[in-house]
Amino acid sequence: MRLVIARCQVDYAGRLTAHLPMANRLLLVKADGSVSVHSDDRAYKPLNWMTPPCWLTEDDSVWTVQNKAGEKIVITIEEILHDSSHELGAEPGLVKDGVEAHLQELLAEHIHTLGEGWTLVRREYMTAIGPVDILCRDHTGSSVAVEIKRRGEIDGVEQLTRYLELMNRDPLLAPVKGIFAAQIIKPQARVLAEDRGIRCVTLDYDALRGIESDEFRLF
């Protein structure tokens, strides 16, 4: 991973155009080829980015990042304040606790509990920023990404939002809807999810395991 802190301006040309005036920013170049531009006040979300497959060319003070669709990010660098590269090694992936892992397994096996006519595409659907717990299709054939937590909080909604933003750029998947599923969903997380068009589902672990009922149900 390469980290560059630079005074730069950024211009994007593709389905629309965007311009970021000259300022100090973090440029993040990952081993998968992705390039993202960050400021110091946007938490996890970059100001602009290009996901793989894409190609970076450096010509003196100008970086050009282009993907196979012809979209470009042109970064004009006035001054480099820091430039370093780091080998992070293999990513072991997120290890879920036993309850979350079992909830994912149960829901995948009985995906129809989310709706009649729903079908499973796969568990742990990999994206460039990590695996979505479940990818499925609803009765209309539309893609749905499901993020499962024991305790649903705002950071889980943000995580699902990132997945949805990325997956909706894939013409083979888009449009992709989201479901945030948890045993307990905090009120603030529910408000944020619903504001972003994400459906919230409260899971009854014992019911899914069939302890209280022979039927698999969601409440």
Side-chain angles (χ1 to χ4, degrees):
M1 178 180 292
R2 184 180 177 190
L3 305 174
V4 177
I5 299 174
R7 181 168 177 79
C8 61
Q9 75 174 33
V10 183
D11 293 279
Y12 169 81
R15 289 166 292 181
L16 48 81
T17 59
H19 172 74
L20 296 171
M22 195 68 70
N24 291 338
R25 298 186 177 94
L26 168 65
L27 309 177
L28 182 62
V29 184
K30 297 177 69 176
D32 63 5
S34 63
V35 178
S36 55
V37 180
H38 298 260
S39 67
D40 204 21
D41 63 350
R42 292 284 296 273
Y44 69 88
K45 191 171 183 179
L47 297 166
N48 215 323
W49 67 95
M50 190 76 77
T51 56
C54 60
W55 302 268
L56 168 63
T57 57
E58 299 181 45
D59 184 9
D60 293 329
S61 60
V62 178
W63 291 15
T64 302
V65 189
Q66 182 171 350
N67 65 15
K68 60 183 179 181
E71 298 172 303
K72 289 183 180 180
I73 296 176
V74 179
I75 304 170
T76 304
I77 298 174
E78 182 178 90
E79 180 184 7
I80 291 180
L81 306 174
H82 174 86
D83 188 346
S84 64
S85 296
H86 307 271
E87 178 58 55
L88 301 186
E91 170 55 50
L94 179 66
V95 179
K96 291 183 173 290
D97 67 33
V99 173
E100 284 186 22
H102 198 200
L103 281 170
Q104 182 191 119
E105 179 183 347
L106 289 170
L107 199 52
E109 289 178 357
H110 304 277
I111 200 67
H112 61 272
T113 55
L114 294 176
E116 290 296 328
W118 287 48
T119 57
L120 175 70
V121 176
R122 66 167 298 163
R123 292 171 55 191
E124 299 289 337
Y125 181 85
M126 185 57 65
T127 74
I129 57 174
V132 176
D133 287 335
I134 292 176
L135 178 65
C136 56
R137 295 192 185 277
D138 66 15
H139 66 285
T140 69
S142 297
S143 301
V144 183
V146 184
E147 183 62 27
I148 299 170
K149 300 292 183 186
R150 257 199 324 170
R151 187 178 182 87
E153 301 191 28
I154 285 177
D155 58 350
V157 178
E158 296 286 9
Q159 180 182 359
L160 178 55
T161 299
R162 294 195 294 273
Y163 291 144
L164 291 172
E165 287 178 352
L166 187 62
M167 295 170 75
N168 271 301
R169 297 183 193 177
D170 186 340
L172 298 179
L173 294 176
V176 185
K177 295 179 287 187
I179 290 180
F180 187 55
Q183 289 180 281
I184 300 172
I185 300 178
K186 299 290 289 290
Q188 301 94 326
R190 185 180 294 275
V191 169
L192 180 61
E194 292 176 350
D195 182 66
R196 294 180 177 180
I198 295 171
R199 174 184 163 194
C200 290
V201 173
T202 302
L203 302 175
D204 187 317
Y205 183 47
D206 288 341
L208 282 172
R209 292 169 62 195
I211 292 176
E212 296 180 349
S213 170
D214 291 333
E215 298 292 327
F216 285 86
R217 298 176 288 115
L218 290 181
F219 297 88

